[in-house]
Amino acid sequence: MSKSRSPATTSVPEPEHETFMRRKPDPIPFHRFLYNSDKGTVLGRNATSWAKIGIFYIVFYSVLAALVAVCMWVFFQTLDPRIPKWQMDQSLIGTNPGLGFRPLPSEDNVESTLIWYKGTDEKNYKMWTDALDDFLQDYRTPGQVSGRGQNIYNCDYNQPPPKGMVCDVDIKQYGPCTLENHYNYHKSAPCIFLKLNKIYGWVPEFYNESSSLPSNMPTDLKEYIKEKEQKELHTMNTVWVSCEGENAADIENVGQIQYYPRRGFPGYYYPYENSEGYLSPLVAVHFERPVRGIIINIECKAWAHNIKHDRHERMGTVHFELMID
């Protein structure tokens, strides 16, 4: 019997497992990113792509600009260039006018309220008289203010301005407080100009009866009003003005005070309605003999039923110091 052979087994070698490592592409040089001449791209985009982006932003910002323009146009249709939208109690200014004075100290010392000069030194006091010249330029030259000169009216207590007209402010009536007289600074008896801040539509409620004057009103002003009531009753519709030393020593040192052209702001200048060419009325306060070489604290007030006085809020009152060497 022949021996059977077992089938031969052949071993198949197992396939070798190769590990492939992925290599990162080489970084593109920055100058190639800015402009690739091979691909014709700028910042990685071709001309067609940039054109689409450009058209998109042109359309987008054009529509946005048109929308803003339409909104602004609609907004301005609700406004009047001469009449404020918010008035009196609804406005930020409110209904109580402030009182201002001129000349002001230089811009380098804007927070100061001290008027200090040497009466015998023209170069020294010229700074103050020049400041008054600049302030009064509009009053001196009507053409300086838009529309002024064609609609000026010579107002009086019995002749208020017609519609569209504004009252004249004649600074030639201010006695010694004139440009030609150097506002009396060279005589150590300076003039200070007062003005009420403008509030659209504000109408003063006058103290036009001597029997209803407030208790805190200065005695000399009460006597002045009584005299006007007896002799010039038609001038009682006036916003009265008083200036006096703040303390006992200041009252003694400030000396005699005169007011030009009258002691207050005539009622025919009100209400202020932003008319073309309008100028605020002024009161020139002349300090005739202030004591020299000492600081004098002075407080001026405007008087009407609807003017409240508050030093801290600067309502209806103004403070300044005067010192003449």
Side-chain angles (χ1 to χ4, degrees), residues 209-227:
E209 293 181 355
S210 59
S211 59
S212 62
L213 302 179
S215 59
N216 62 335
M217 179 180 283
T219 303
D220 66 316
L221 179 55
K222 290 181 178 180
E223 294 174 355
Y224 178 87
I225 295 174
K226 289 179 182 179
E227 182 180 349

Side-chain angles (χ1 to χ4, degrees), residues 195-254:
K195 63 186 289 290
L196 269 182
N197 294 343
K198 293 180 286 191
I199 297 180
Y200 188 92
W202 181 77
V203 179
E205 298 173 7
F206 306 104
Y207 284 116
N208 51 14
E209 293 181 355
S210 59
S211 59
S212 62
L213 302 179
S215 59
N216 62 335
M217 179 180 283
T219 303
D220 66 316
L221 179 55
K222 290 181 178 180
E223 294 174 355
Y224 178 87
I225 295 174
K226 289 179 182 179
E227 182 180 349
K228 289 295 180 182
E229 187 178 37
Q230 295 173 0
K231 298 181 180 180
E232 301 177 16
L233 183 61
H234 67 288
T235 66
M236 292 295 287
N237 285 348
T238 299
V239 179
W240 308 106
V241 166
S242 68
C243 291
E244 58 183 352
E246 287 191 350
N247 307 308
D250 298 319
I251 294 174
E252 183 179 347
N253 294 327
V254 73

Side-chain angles (χ1 to χ4, degrees), residues 22-142:
R22 294 186 178 179
R23 296 180 58 190
K24 294 183 178 179
D26 294 334
I28 301 175
F30 183 69
H31 70 277
R32 297 273 292 176
F33 171 72
L34 291 177
Y35 175 67
N36 191 324
S37 59
D38 296 334
K39 297 181 179 180
T41 60
V42 177
L43 299 179
R45 296 181 181 275
N46 56 28
T48 304
S49 178
W50 279 115
K52 292 179 179 179
I53 293 174
I55 293 172
F56 168 78
Y57 279 107
I58 289 173
V59 173
F60 173 77
Y61 284 112
S62 297
V63 172
L64 185 63
L67 181 61
V68 172
V70 170
C71 291
M72 291 298 292
W73 180 82
V74 172
F75 172 72
F76 279 111
Q77 297 310 303
T78 66
L79 301 178
D80 190 296
R82 294 196 175 276
I83 302 176
K85 188 174 182 65
W86 307 110
Q87 302 177 21
M88 304 300 285
D89 289 327
Q90 297 179 337
S91 69
L92 293 175
I93 299 175
T95 60
N96 205 99
L99 191 64
F101 77 95
R102 297 292 188 279
L104 294 173
S106 64
E107 295 180 358
D108 297 338
N109 200 10
V110 68
E111 294 184 359
S112 173
T113 54
L114 174 62
I115 300 174
W116 177 21
Y117 72 96
K118 294 180 181 180
T120 56
D121 187 348
E122 182 179 358
K123 292 182 179 179
N124 189 267
Y125 68 71
K126 193 174 186 300
M127 179 189 77
W128 302 101
T129 57
D130 285 349
L132 283 176
D133 288 345
D134 293 340
F135 170 66
L136 295 173
Q137 187 63 37
D138 291 341
Y139 293 85
R140 192 175 295 110
T141 309

Side-chain angles (χ1 to χ4, degrees), residues 178-191:
T178 61
L179 167 65
E180 297 74 18
N181 198 42
H182 305 292
Y183 310 104
N184 234 43
Y185 277 68
H186 62 304
K187 296 182 180 179
S188 300
C191 295

